[in-house]
Amino acid sequence: MLRLAPLLFVWICAFGQPNAYDQPYRPQYHFSPRVDWTNDPNGLVYFDGEYHLFYQYNPFGDVWGHMSWGHAVSRDMMHWQELPVALPEENGIMIFTGSTVVDEGNTSGFCANGKPCLVAVYTGHTPGAAGRPALQTQNLAYSNDHGRTWTKYSGNPVLNLHLSDFRDPHVFWSNAARRWTMAVALPDDHKVLIYGSGNLKTWERLSEFGPAGATGGQWECPILMEIPLEGKPRQTRWVLKVGLNPGGLQGGSGEQYFVGRFDGARFANDNPPSATLWTDYGKDCYCALPFNGMPRGEAPVMIGWMNNWQYAAQVPTQPWRGQMTIPRRLHLKSTTEGLRLVQEPVDALQRLRGSHFAWHGDDMAELNRALAAVRWSSFELRSAVVPDGAGELGWRLLAGGGKSVTVGFGAGQLFVDRTHSGIADFSKDFPARTSAPLPKGRAPLEFTILVDRSTVEVFAQGGQVAMTNLVYPPAGAQALEFYSVGGKPRRIGVDVWELKP
Ligand code: FRU
């Protein structure tokens, strides 16, 4: 044993703690950090064949604090390699949410050897102290080695309004205006300010948007993005997405969006200011961010933090807390009510498919007998069904030990019920039944459900409705069952794939 000890030591150093990603609630195909706390995704950017995911990270514990940017890279948005912290808290200034751009033309002067470099734009947060309020300013850091090492700009901050709440810059290159554009939040005023810059260092204020829509809490994580219309990839419209905490649709944090036009300086809402549209109808999708620098012709892809500020610090996972949603491809769909955001899991997910269960027919009892063989805790389920008068129908997932999660349809609503899903008593706000009105007039009902041990993401009617919720089922709860109350559902079609870690 003594002779084996050094070998074991080398193995642990090389590969980390054995089974580091195999704890009971550890998502298998969603990103979560090996240890410690994460919240918002930050600085998502595609550069030279790599997707970069930065994220709000506390390197010293599993609750919020010492905010820094953690870092992971991937070639397919599915397999992530965690790298050392990219931007650490320093001199008492925490690194809050922000974005990363590829500076192709060295507009910033930060890029070396005539090559493009990465520039991060983030909020520096100095906590308040006796007699001094907190301060939030916008700052830069750059990297000339594909994000492996970073230098904070010596001229920071680049934008200072001397405010305690002024944060979360979303920066991108505007083709219309031929300059960098920043959307940044004034959280308590329910406003998004829009700035322009030729060099990322000096910023000119162009316009503001808000208040509008939901204003029940602070506005955070604004995103201004150009989204293609379904079936007409050359036509686009702009979406301004805003996080809200509290005051989200299902309580706590949630996100709304506005659809409109952006002329390079000003965002004009297509809808009346009172109209409120929600990006996700579950409790657990917040501060979603799209990738900058996506390869030409690729649809925008967004990742969110899968949690809610109501109980993020209490969720029963360790040694990590917090994970990201599946990357979601975006487009806008024309509906009778106007343009609506559509979200679908990226195609790369299909490459993780393993064992497959498929069934088509009308006999529910026969389906459930066949499903007895399906016992997975990380899977993708796609199904379509003609309800035919059924008052309610759907799926019971992660069932066992008297608990289950219900994903169902009833009274024109899609719902996810986690009130009896397992551990739910760590916060009074956790047990919940979240619901969403379903777009009318399309039978059969179609939906995709992604389950990953402790996460349930539902995409209904081709992605027009997304619903993201966390669950903490009992050990071994893996049974899957179709149910219906009243009526007789017909033409049930279901495909389930186990997804590989
Ligand atoms: C949103 C948020 C951001 C802020 C960050 C701090 O979840 O509050 O507004 O930049 O988290 O961690």
Side-chain angles (χ1 to χ4, degrees):
M1 179 62 208
L2 221 54
R3 263 195 249 143
L4 282 178
L7 269 182
L8 188 65
F9 179 74
V10 169
W11 190 87
I12 288 176
C13 290
F15 302 105
Q17 173 196 341
N19 298 324
Y21 290 99
D22 201 25
Q23 297 87 0
Y25 297 131
R26 174 75 85 173
Q28 298 296 293
Y29 59 91
H30 290 81
F31 176 79
S32 57
R34 182 182 296 270
V35 294
D36 294 331
W37 166 275
T38 183
N39 54 287
D40 318 349
N42 295 154
L44 299 184
V45 67
Y46 176 79
F47 181 49
D48 253 359
E50 272 184 334
Y51 293 92
H52 293 261
L53 163 64
F54 302 90
Y55 44 91
Q56 285 290 281
Y57 187 56
N58 178 0
F60 302 105
D62 64 1
V63 291
W64 188 91
H66 300 288
M67 296 325 291
S68 303
W69 277 23
H71 188 194
V73 289
S74 170
R75 295 207 166 258
D76 61 2
M77 292 188 273
M78 292 292 135
H79 301 86
W80 293 98
Q81 183 196 357
E82 195 172 332
L83 297 176
V85 167
L87 297 175
E89 172 193 44
E90 212 174 339
N91 304 325
I93 304 178
M94 293 196 226
I95 316 295
F96 272 18
T97 285
S99 31
T100 298
V101 296
V102 181
D103 189 1
E104 294 281 354
N106 193 21
T107 62
S108 62
F110 293 145
C111 307
N113 308 322
K115 299 229 172 76
C117 60
L118 292 176
V119 182
V121 190
Y122 63 90
T123 297
H125 172 85
T126 310
R132 174 170 58 79
L135 176 66
Q136 296 187 344
T137 60
Q138 314 321 321
N139 300 266
L140 306 179
Y142 55 93
S143 168
N144 274 295
D145 57 2
H146 292 86
R148 271 35 182 200
T149 60
W150 290 83
T151 307
K152 289 177 186 141
Y153 173 44
S154 57
N156 281 337
V158 293
L159 200 47
N160 185 358
L161 303 184
H162 307 278
L163 292 173
S164 304
D165 286 283
F166 172 46
R167 62 178 176 271
D168 306 340
H170 176 232
V171 177
F172 60 93
W173 178 259
S174 160
N175 284 323
R178 313 268 338 132
R179 67 180 161 218
W180 300 106
T181 302
M182 178 196 292
V184 55
L186 283 183
D188 294 317
D189 297 346
H190 309 117
K191 281 187 181 171
V192 176
L193 304 185
I194 295 179
Y195 287 84
S197 171
N199 61 6
L200 295 164
K201 293 172 173 164
T202 52
W203 291 91
E204 178 197 350
R205 185 153 158 179
L206 303 172
S207 65
E208 62 177 53
F209 176 83
T215 54
Q218 285 202 320
W219 277 21
E220 302 183 310
C221 304
I223 298 296
L224 184 55
M225 52 188 170
E226 190 172 14
I227 308 280
L229 306 193
E230 186 180 48
K232 301 175 188 151
R234 283 172 190 284
Q235 285 184 38
T236 61
R237 205 68 122 244
W238 288 76
V239 164
L240 178 60
K241 188 226 68 176
V242 182
L244 193 69
N245 179 48
L249 175 69
Q250 309 288 3
S253 30
E255 298 211 275
Q256 62 177 329
Y257 69 97
F258 306 92
V259 185
R261 289 158 211 264
F262 178 63
D263 63 4
R266 180 171 291 278
F267 174 80
N269 192 357
D270 277 354
N271 297 304
S274 57
T276 306
L277 304 173
W278 300 96
T279 58
D280 194 290
Y281 287 83
K283 280 196 77 119
D284 300 310
C285 181
Y286 197 53
C287 281
L289 178 70
F291 281 92
N292 269 327
M294 282 296 274
R296 214 168 261 292
E298 293 279 326
V301 171
M302 176 167 99
I303 296 180
W305 174 44
M306 224 190 299
N307 222 324
N308 190 310
W309 281 113
Q310 283 181 327
Y311 42 71
Q314 280 99 46
V315 295
T317 62
Q318 55 102 6
W320 88 102
R321 256 210 201 100
Q323 57 275 312
M324 300 302 156
T325 65
I326 205 71
R328 300 167 180 192
R329 197 179 50 220
L330 306 177
H331 65 255
L332 284 166
K333 186 182 174 67
S334 175
T335 74
T336 48
E337 280 111 46
L339 291 171
R340 294 292 181 267
L341 192 63
V342 172
Q343 305 175 56
E344 294 164 289
V346 293
D347 291 343
L349 181 68
Q350 296 176 13
R351 290 201 284 273
L352 305 185
R353 287 176 179 171
S355 309
H356 181 203
F357 169 91
W359 194 91
H360 297 265
D362 296 313
D363 184 346
M364 235 175 74
E366 188 193 310
L367 166 61
N368 282 331
R369 276 193 297 278
L371 276 171
V374 175
R375 286 287 178 276
W376 301 321
S377 51
S378 292
F379 62 87
E380 169 187 356
L381 182 153
R382 286 184 184 251
S383 97
V385 55
V386 178
D388 248 14
E392 186 187 309
L393 60 80
W395 296 89
R396 294 203 183 92
L397 316 168
L398 299 172
K403 307 283 182 188
S404 66
V405 183
T406 309
V407 178
F409 298 91
Q413 304 255 320
L414 163 75
F415 69 88
V416 173
D417 190 337
R418 67 177 180 195
T419 49
H420 297 99
S421 56
I423 303 177
D425 61 357
F426 51 86
S427 157
K428 68 169 181 28
D429 295 312
F430 190 80
R433 183 185 193 273
T434 61
S435 62
L438 271 196
K440 289 183 202 80
R442 241 179 83 179
L445 291 167
E446 288 174 359
F447 53 102
T448 299
I449 307 175
L450 300 182
V451 172
D452 198 3
R453 293 193 179 183
S454 57
T455 71
V456 179
E457 288 161 286
V458 184
F459 302 89
Q461 299 307 87
Q464 280 191 73
V465 172
M467 195 178 281
T468 306
N469 286 296
L470 296 169
V471 290
Y472 300 100
Q478 295 181 340
L480 176 62
E481 178 192 56
F482 184 82
Y483 79 96
S484 125
V485 183
K488 196 173 176 303
R490 283 188 302 118
R491 300 215 322 260
I492 311 167
V494 53
D495 283 285
V496 194
W497 291 270
E498 185 173 24
L499 293 179
K500 290 177 275 185

